[in-house]
């Protein structure tokens, strides 16, 4: 149970970091951001790849117990995510199939196998140590950020995810209004700044592709430990946070929206009735027009590959 908690939280926090990375636009092209803003990519990938590796090894080990009566030794896989995911795909899950266990099939999307190869490169050391290697080696390849940007350039999100991004931005704006109006800028600064960290659609698209792969492994782990052996706890009590449909996962676990419809009502009421400390009129309809999908960024919107899950 402890190992599952460690793995699940690592995956979740890694996706949160990835989804919040800044990605800019200039003349309809993706542009890089300053170097001092790129390190969260390394941190997010460190958390995610470690967590995904652990989830895979847990699923394989627990499946071995249900099939052969003993936990399978998984140390030989090391950090080779491709081999781990291939081993998950080859498991016989026929006895675990039920309407309760969704997402037992390997996901596919616009990133294909390239995304896993990139993640494995990082996990195996080529990416994790490239910055340190570059200090002493002129031939060190700094590829992690450039490859990340290439994924962002072709990522898409659903209209539902775009709506959650907009509502999250509205919350940050409203909290900023309230702190200024009540002279709480210093007291609330940390909380307001946290709420105002926005999401870029290209970054979110890649983060959600990473989620779908982790969700698949979590679903397998859930299936093989759901009342299958008295020596196995019901690990879905931990991994359930990863097994939501994509749109709901982003809304609840990444954007932190508990009830989006209620929040939208509250934000609209705020814009219509709040006594703003300026003379500028606030047009609520204009501020929230993008909720209906009016705002469109090149390469960062449109229907994703899992729009209905």
């Amino acid at each position: 149970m402890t190992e599952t908690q460690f793995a699940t939280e690592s995956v979740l926090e890694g996706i949160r970091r990835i989804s919040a990375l800044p990605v800019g636009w200039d003349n309809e092209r993706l542009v890089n951001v300053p170097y001092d803003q790129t390190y969260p990519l390394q941190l997010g990938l460190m958390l995610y790849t470690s967590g995904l590796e652990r989830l895979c090894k847990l699923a394989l080990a627990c499946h071995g117990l249900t099939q052969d009566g003993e936990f399978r030794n998984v140390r030989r896989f090391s950090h080779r995510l491709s081999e781990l995911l291939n081993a998950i795909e080859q498991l016989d899950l026929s006895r675990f199939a039920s309407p309760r266990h969704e997402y037992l099939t390997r996901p596919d999307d616009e990133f294909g196998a390239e995304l896993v190869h990139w993640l494995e490169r990082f996990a195996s050391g080529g990416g994790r140590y490239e910055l340190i290697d570059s200090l002493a080696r002129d031939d060190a390849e700094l590829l992690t950020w450039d490859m990340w940007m290439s994924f962002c350039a072709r990522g898409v999100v659903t209209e539902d995810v775009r709506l959650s991004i907009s509502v999250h931005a509205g919350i940050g704006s409203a909290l900023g209004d309230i702190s200024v109006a009540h002279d709480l800028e210093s007291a609330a600064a940390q909380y307001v700044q946290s709420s105002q960290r926005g999401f870029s659609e290209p970054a979110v698209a890649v983060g959600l592709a990473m989620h779908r792969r982790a969700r698949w492994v979590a679903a397998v782990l859930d299936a093989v430990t759901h009342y299958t052996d008295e020596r196995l706890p019901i690990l879905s009590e931990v991994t359930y946070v990863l097994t939501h449909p994509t749109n709901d996962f982003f809304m609840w676990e990444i954007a932190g929206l508990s009830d989006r419809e209620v929040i939208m009502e509250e934000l609209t009421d705020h814009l219509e009735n709040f006594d703003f400390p300026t003379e500028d009129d606030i047009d609520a309809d204009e501020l929230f027009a993008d909720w209906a999908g009016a705002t469109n960024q090149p390469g960062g919107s449109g229907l994703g590959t899992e729009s209905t899950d």
Side-chain angles (χ1 to χ4, degrees), residues 164 167-168 171 244 247-264 266-267:
S164 292
V167 174
H168 179 271
I171 293 172
H244 303 308
N247 294 338
D248 293 340
F249 172 78
F250 179 78
M251 178 172 62
W252 293 329
E253 306 298 341
I254 305 302
L257 309 178
S258 56
D259 190 325
R260 193 175 61 193
E261 298 303 318
V262 172
I263 293 172
M264 290 171 65
E266 293 174 348
L267 290 176

Side-chain angles (χ1 to χ4, degrees), residues 136-172:
R137 288 175 43 196
D138 294 334
D139 62 343
E141 293 184 307
L142 302 180
L143 300 177
T144 300
W145 183 264
D146 289 341
M147 294 172 69
W148 152 256
M149 290 295 289
S150 73
F151 289 126
C152 287
R154 64 180 191 261
V156 294
V157 297
T158 65
E159 292 298 330
D160 191 271
V161 168
R162 292 185 67 240
L163 177 56
S164 292
I165 291 174
S166 296
V167 174
H168 179 271
I171 293 172

Side-chain angles (χ1 to χ4, degrees), residues 157-164 166 201 264 285-297 301-302:
V157 297
T158 65
E159 292 298 330
D160 191 271
V161 168
R162 292 185 67 240
L163 177 56
S164 292
S166 296
E201 290 179 20
M264 290 171 65
D285 291 334
E286 180 179 344
L287 281 173
F288 290 93
D290 58 344
W291 284 4
T295 300
N296 184 31
Q297 289 183 322
S301 63

Side-chain angles (χ1 to χ4, degrees), residues 204-252:
V204 169
V206 183
L208 293 181
M210 292 164 61
H211 161 247
R212 288 190 286 272
R213 286 150 179 81
R215 179 181 63 189
W216 166 46
V217 179
V220 172
L221 181 58
D222 173 11
V224 301
T225 61
H226 190 69
Y227 295 105
T228 53
D229 191 290
E230 62 181 10
R231 289 170 289 177
L232 289 175
I234 302 174
L235 295 180
S236 60
E237 294 178 356
V238 176
T239 61
Y240 75 93
V241 296
L242 298 178
T243 55
H244 303 308
T246 298
N247 294 338
D248 293 340
F249 172 78
F250 179 78
M251 178 172 62
W252 293 329

